[in-house]
Amino acid sequence: MLVGIDIIADESSRLALSMHLLRPSHIHLTDLPTIVPLLIHNIALNSAATPTTAHVLEWGGCAPNSRVPLPDILLAADCVYFEPAFPLLLQTMQELMRPETVCYFCFKKRRSADVRFVKMVRKIYEVKAVQDDPDGKVWGREGIHLYEIRCKNKVPST
């Protein structure tokens, strides 16, 4: 059981709301201001067992505030969709990730530019494709990529 874990998830509230199975101490959902009311509605509908809060988080120059702690696990689902925003997304990842944070980053490749974001991330972080999912071939055929991202030189705890 994982105790005392804070999770920040972006974009996919369905994925984030399922994270209560990990027994985190809190789940923080983030998105743009126009989406946060939908996140709040989804939290209420799903009656999450884990305390769950929705926050506005706009990429770039938005250092986390005291209401959104730096996470132990950062989930980023389908954030790669607009190439001019790649530097802002990367900057936000850097602001949110501590040396021990693990980021699970998932996106559907729609354009060749989408892979360029992963190349940008590799310059700063250790990036490993998740390959131990028994359904990996299924979602792989759909062009979906899932990566585990950690700070460089951080040895994973066992």
Side-chain angles (χ1 to χ4, degrees):
M1 174 183 353
L2 302 175
V3 180
I5 302 294
D6 279 297
I7 297 176
I8 293 182
D10 189 34
E11 296 295 321
S12 177
S13 60
R14 183 172 29 165
L15 170 66
L17 288 171
S18 67
M19 289 298 101
H20 72 90
L21 298 172
L22 293 175
R23 301 177 197 252
S25 57
H26 203 100
I27 297 173
H28 301 272
L29 304 179
T30 66
D31 213 314
L32 296 173
T34 56
I35 304 299
V36 168
L38 179 60
L39 294 177
I40 292 168
H41 179 72
N42 285 340
I43 292 166
L45 282 177
N46 287 283
S47 302
T50 302
T52 304
T53 312
H55 304 275
V56 171
L57 181 65
E58 295 180 295
W59 298 342
C62 54
N65 59 44
S66 60
R67 292 176 296 143
V68 182
L70 295 177
D72 300 294
I73 300 171
L74 176 63
L75 303 176
D78 210 20
C79 295
V80 177
Y81 51 83
F82 185 57
E83 188 173 7
F86 289 178
L88 298 175
L89 175 56
L90 185 58
Q91 177 184 345
T92 301
M93 288 175 64
Q94 289 176 285
E95 291 171 351
L96 292 174
M97 290 182 68
R98 298 177 289 134
E100 55 278 353
T101 299
V102 178
C103 174
Y104 292 100
F105 192 92
C106 178
F107 71 95
K108 180 172 182 151
K109 182 180 177 283
R110 296 176 180 94
R111 298 162 296 282
S112 59
D114 297 347
V115 177
R116 281 197 282 275
F117 179 76
V118 176
K119 290 180 182 176
M120 290 172 63
V121 172
R122 286 184 195 278
K123 292 178 182 177
I124 301 170
Y125 296 104
E126 290 181 16
V127 178
K128 180 176 80 171
V130 173
Q131 298 177 345
D132 59 355
D133 184 335
D135 294 325
K137 289 185 181 191
V138 175
W139 46 261
R141 284 192 296 268
E142 302 279 332
I144 296 172
H145 300 267
L146 175 59
Y147 296 98
E148 179 182 294
I149 301 172
R150 296 177 182 264
C151 290
K152 288 190 176 187
N153 301 320
K154 173 70 181 162
V155 177
S157 57
T158 53

